[in-house]
Amino acid sequence: AQRVTQPEKLLSVFKGAPVELKCNYSYSGSPELFWYVQYSRQRLQLLLRHISRESIKGFTADLNKGETSFHLKKPFAQEEDSAMYYCALSGQGAQKLVFGQGTRLTINP
Amino acid sequence: GAVVSQHPSWVICKSGTSVKIECRSLDFQATTMFWYRQFPKQSLMLMATSNEGSKATYEQGVEKDKFLINHASLTLSTLTVTSAHPEDSSFYICSARHPAPDSSGNTIYFGEGSWLTVV
């Protein structure tokens, strides 16, 4: 079964501080992992995916198969990073996405 | 970029009535669309995968007779909540799979969501 766990419902950090949003997953095969972001009053949008290994808006995420984790990190948080963040998993060859519970990130000035 | 639009954005209906929510891919053809349900302050729960020209694939625990999905064209999928009850009140979100990945490899685009309130 596919499962994604985001242990923190809320996370609050000060501007300029590092931020890490945790994501752990459970999947027996080779998963594809994603981070989605939802800014206030906007639709869900893709932030990054582990396959692309890109840094988007200063965020990075590394897939750690040993720890079954895909934590999202940014060294210096900005106020515009305040949003809801969802970790998601897609099974190998599958089309559907399974989402974690989401973490609401608040960046304090 | 690819756009997925849902209509209506919000709807209020009486208990026992049926309500239809549309999901359209505005600038691309989508053979596959997905319907999610999101309760307040909770995650998105996949309800079903909508396949153009064939029956939808429902997730375990989702009543297919309650949540009717029709994907009659390559740009439109509809979710009909039949005999709605207050517990069906929720935020319903659709996504559509674009046939070609963008520069970052993404193929999934989400609609803006539809709020359903059953009174």
Side-chain angles (χ1 to χ4, degrees):
Chain A
Q2 300 170 203
R3 186 178 299 166
V4 178
T5 303
Q6 293 177 250
E8 304 140 328
K9 280 191 174 181
L10 303 170
L11 183 62
S12 182
V13 302
F14 285 101
K15 176 182 174 181
V19 63
E20 181 180 50
L21 288 81
K22 292 184 168 49
C23 172
N24 289 89
Y25 67 90
S26 174
Y27 183 66
S28 56
S30 294
E32 186 169 354
L33 275 296
F34 307 81
W35 275 100
Y36 282 85
V37 60
Q38 188 171 31
Y39 299 104
S40 179
R41 296 176 184 164
Q42 294 187 29
R43 70 189 66 201
L44 204 63
Q45 57 184 285
L46 178 67
L47 181 61
L48 54 80
R49 49 203 293 259
H50 89 270
I51 285 181
S52 62
R53 301 185 67 82
E54 292 177 306
S55 173
I56 306 295
K57 299 183 179 182
F59 284 98
T60 59
D62 291 318
L63 178 61
N64 186 323
K65 292 186 177 181
E67 295 182 358
T68 59
S69 68
F70 188 57
H71 303 325
L72 183 68
K73 300 177 184 179
K74 184 169 183 176
F76 308 102
Q78 303 298 315
E79 288 186 64
E80 55 265 30
D81 296 329
S82 294
M84 194 75 181
Y85 290 81
Y86 293 95
C87 183
L89 176 153
S90 176
Q92 194 172 19
Q95 301 186 69
K96 62 183 183 182
L97 287 167
V98 174
F99 286 85
Q101 300 92 323
T103 299
R104 182 169 296 282
L105 176 64
T106 301
I107 307 302
N108 300 307
Chain B
V3 178
V4 176
S5 179
Q6 286 183 237
H7 177 81
S9 298
W10 58 270
V11 57
I12 301 173
C13 71
K14 291 185 177 181
S15 288
T17 63
S18 296
V19 60
K20 180 186 289 185
I21 300 171
E22 295 183 346
C23 177
R24 293 181 184 274
S25 54
L26 298 187
D27 51 359
F28 65 98
Q29 294 182 329
T31 56
T32 305
M33 294 184 175
F34 305 90
W35 285 97
Y36 293 86
R37 182 175 182 177
Q38 185 178 31
F39 291 104
K41 298 183 179 180
Q42 295 190 30
S43 187
L44 288 78
M45 182 193 77
L46 180 65
M47 299 175 66
T49 301
S50 173
N51 303 298
E52 187 269 336
S54 63
K55 291 183 179 180
T57 304
Y58 289 82
E59 294 300 303
Q60 191 173 11
V62 178
E63 300 176 62
K64 59 183 179 182
D65 295 331
K66 172 77 172 175
F67 299 99
L68 299 179
I69 291 173
N70 185 282
H71 194 157
S73 80
L74 287 170
T75 59
L76 173 65
S77 175
T78 60
L79 168 67
T80 301
V81 183
T82 63
S83 185
H85 289 281
E87 56 265 32
D88 298 325
S89 298
S90 188
F91 190 51
Y92 292 88
I93 304 172
C94 76
S95 66
R97 179 174 292 275
H98 195 288
D102 64 11
S103 57
S104 64
N106 182 42
T107 58
I108 300 294
Y109 297 90
F110 284 82
E112 61 270 58
S114 300
W115 282 103
L116 169 63
T117 301
V118 184
V119 297

